[in-house]
């Protein structure tokens, strides 16, 4: 009997060890001292975490405070988190030196930039998107205290309206860079407007090519882990009422597709000003999912970690920043979009909410982007509460 118990115990311990190894873990990160390094271990965020609603087993905490206007995020292979912002002019690197699940130090990598919202990391280099420029910080993880950048490309439009950018590297090694419509609703001759472009940053002098047309303003995209297809959020136009049109989650299956703007919105809503200038709705790619009017879906990632339940795997976690001019506010939450093997969105579930009080209409935070840590936990940036949260799961 004792031998049987020992066998069962051994198998159980082996399973737990395997399960833990599949989840990954946080690792210590050693950094040097410098004038741009700030201790944020005792920094506090003005948040109300007790109001955040999560599914059973999930917990939320402040991973980093004192990160002004925290927007898009990127992460290095050793867990350094890079953060851009839109309303300020800085780019940050955040480091959890002791791997305790909370950021210890903040490095200011650049100051005085113009809406440096987008950040992307590849082969040791950090890329930052301003309104009209792409910057590169070479070997950034070894130069956090002495950051220097070079201009990779400076030919994007200078329009401030929807000029802030989300950037990411695709499976083809190209840097994908959106160019929002410089207006609420308009039609521009230059095809680079209302598009997603891609740029070969490995070739000096390379110029962007348009990958997707008819995209009003995407501030978040990712590639499906299995199909490698590009999925992106898109913010719908304003001034057509509280409930029209829906914001969108889109799926691009090939280069050159047109997603409707400014002629059609959410697949079926004909624009009152420009709809007659376009083609029939069937000529454009309809959204993979509608995400509610004015909810402002921004950052998204396909979950790949081992910490969360199995139903999260290969599905999209999307941050809805929230409405700015709707009579009754909408958004201000993080959702899970479930996608089947054929690429069809089968449903959407609220994953995290509570930044908005529907009864009083009070708002204390606005989720912007999501990023997965090496252990499978999830970071959520908040440009209103000036912090980054960490969501963990335990059975």
């Amino acid at each position: 009997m004792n031998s049987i118990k020992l066998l069962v115990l051994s198998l159980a311990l082996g399973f737990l060890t395997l399960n833990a190894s599949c989840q990954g873990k946080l690792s210590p990160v050693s950094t040097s001292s410098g004038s741009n390094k700030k201790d944020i271990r005792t920094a506090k965020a003005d948040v109300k975490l007790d109001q955040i609603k999560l599914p059973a087993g999930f917990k939320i905490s402040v991973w980093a405070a004192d990160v002004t206007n925290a927007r898009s995020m990127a992460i290095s292979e050793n867990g350094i988190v890079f953060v851009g912002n839109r309303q300020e002019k800085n780019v940050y690197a955040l480091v959890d030196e002791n791997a305790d699940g909370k950021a210890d130090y903040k490095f200011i990598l650049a100051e005085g930039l113009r809406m440096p919202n987008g950040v992307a990391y590849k082969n040791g280099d950090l890329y930052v998107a301003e309104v009209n420029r792409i910057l590169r910080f070479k070997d950034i993880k070894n130069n956090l205290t002495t950051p220097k950048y070079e201009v990779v490309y400076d030919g994007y439009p200078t329009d401030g309206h929807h000029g802030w950018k989300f950037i990411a590297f695709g499976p083809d090694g190209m840097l994908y860079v959106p160019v929002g419509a410089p207006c609420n609703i308009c039609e521009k001759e230059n095809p680079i407007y209302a598009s997603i472009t891609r740029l070969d940053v490995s070739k000096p002098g390379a110029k962007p090519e348009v990958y997707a047309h008819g995209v009003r303003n995407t501030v978040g995209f990712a590639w499906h882990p299995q199909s490698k297809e590009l999925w992106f959020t898109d913010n719908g136009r304003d001034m057509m009422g509280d409930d029209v049109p829906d914001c969108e989650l889109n799926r691009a299956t090939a280069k050159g597709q047109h997603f409707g703007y400014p002629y059609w919105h959410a697949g079926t809503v004909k624009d009152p000003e420009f709809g007659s200038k376009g083609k029939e709705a069937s000529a454009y790619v309809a959204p993979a999912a509608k995400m509610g009017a004015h909810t402002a879906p921004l950052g998204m990632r396909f979950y790949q970690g081992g910490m969360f339940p199995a139903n999260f795997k290969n599905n999209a976690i999307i941050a809805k920043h929230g409405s700015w001019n709707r009579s009754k506010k909408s958004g201000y939450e993080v959702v899970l979009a479930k996608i089947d093997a054929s690429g069809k969105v089968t449903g959407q579930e609220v994953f995290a909410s509570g930044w908005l009080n529907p009864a009083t209409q009070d708002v204390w935070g606005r989720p912007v982007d999501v990023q997965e840590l090496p252990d499978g936990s999830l970071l959520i940036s908040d440009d209103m509460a000036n912090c980054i949260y960490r969501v963990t799961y335990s059975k």
Side-chain angles (χ1 to χ4, degrees), residues 55-381:
F58 288 90
K59 293 182 179 180
I60 189 169
S61 61
V62 173
W63 184 76
D66 190 25
V67 188
T68 305
N69 196 235
R71 293 278 295 187
S72 297
M73 298 181 287
I75 188 169
S76 70
E77 63 277 352
N78 64 336
I80 299 172
V81 177
F82 304 100
V83 187
N85 59 48
R86 179 169 74 91
Q87 294 179 348
E88 299 296 326
K89 304 176 181 181
N90 301 342
V91 177
Y92 304 108
L94 304 173
V95 179
D96 177 5
E97 287 201 347
N98 59 5
D100 67 346
K102 189 177 186 300
D104 301 309
Y105 296 97
K106 176 180 73 175
F107 293 82
I108 300 176
L109 302 181
E111 299 177 281
L113 302 180
R114 187 184 180 202
M115 295 186 192
N117 181 86
V119 287
Y121 180 85
K122 182 178 175 63
N123 296 334
D125 299 337
L126 173 67
Y127 293 80
V128 175
E130 292 184 277
V131 171
N132 70 305
R133 302 195 302 176
I134 303 298
L135 314 177
R136 175 167 52 209
F137 295 73
K138 288 189 174 180
D139 192 21
I140 187 61
K141 65 182 180 181
N142 294 315
N143 292 283
L144 291 175
T145 58
T146 55
K148 296 180 181 179
Y149 66 79
E150 60 186 11
V151 178
V152 176
Y153 182 75
D154 63 357
Y156 281 107
T158 59
D159 307 76
H161 196 126
H162 295 155
W164 55 93
K165 293 170 169 54
F166 177 98
I167 57 174
F169 281 95
D172 56 7
M174 306 274 272
L175 183 66
Y176 285 67
V177 184
V179 180
C183 54
N184 172 37
I185 185 73
C186 59
E187 184 180 31
K188 292 290 185 179
E189 291 185 6
N190 189 341
I192 202 168
Y193 286 108
S195 77
I196 299 175
T197 74
R198 61 182 179 182
L199 179 68
D200 189 346
V201 297
S202 69
K203 295 180 179 179
K207 295 184 178 180
E209 63 173 347
V210 175
Y211 183 81
H213 302 267
V215 182
R216 181 177 178 270
N217 183 36
T218 178
V219 198
F221 44 81
W223 287 262
H224 193 279
Q226 296 172 324
S227 70
K228 308 303 179 186
E229 293 172 340
L230 173 65
W231 289 68
F232 62 92
T233 59
D234 195 11
N235 288 201
R237 69 156 289 181
D238 296 311
M239 311 308 173
M240 287 184 66
D242 273 2
D243 302 314
V244 179
D246 277 83
C247 294
E248 304 172 9
L249 174 63
N250 289 287
R251 173 192 178 196
T253 57
K255 176 189 172 185
Q257 293 175 314
H258 197 296
F259 292 83
Y261 178 89
Y263 315 113
W264 291 87
H265 311 288
T268 57
V269 178
K270 190 173 184 177
D271 189 82
E273 297 176 59
F274 294 94
S276 60
K277 297 182 179 182
K279 303 175 184 178
E280 293 300 314
S282 59
Y284 307 105
V285 181
K290 298 178 181 181
M291 305 205 72
H294 310 295
T295 59
L298 301 185
M300 61 168 287
R301 296 291 192 285
F302 289 99
Y303 185 76
Q304 288 291 282
M307 179 184 287
F308 288 9
N311 66 308
F312 280 78
K313 195 80 168 185
N314 295 330
N315 287 323
I317 302 176
I318 304 169
K320 291 184 176 181
H321 194 229
S323 59
W324 66 274
N325 67 340
R326 195 171 184 269
S327 62
K328 188 175 182 180
K329 294 182 176 68
S330 61
Y332 304 92
E333 61 189 11
V334 178
V335 301
L336 176 69
K338 294 186 175 182
I339 302 167
D340 67 16
S342 69
K344 180 181 179 181
V345 178
T346 59
Q348 298 180 57
E349 299 176 359
V350 176
F351 172 61
S353 63
W355 290 279
L356 163 69
N357 184 322
T360 65
Q361 291 288 283
D362 291 332
V363 173
W364 59 267
R366 304 186 76 180
V368 178
D369 196 12
V370 294
Q371 183 65 251
E372 192 178 315
L373 284 178
D375 67 342
S377 60
L378 185 75
L379 298 182
I380 304 171
S381 60

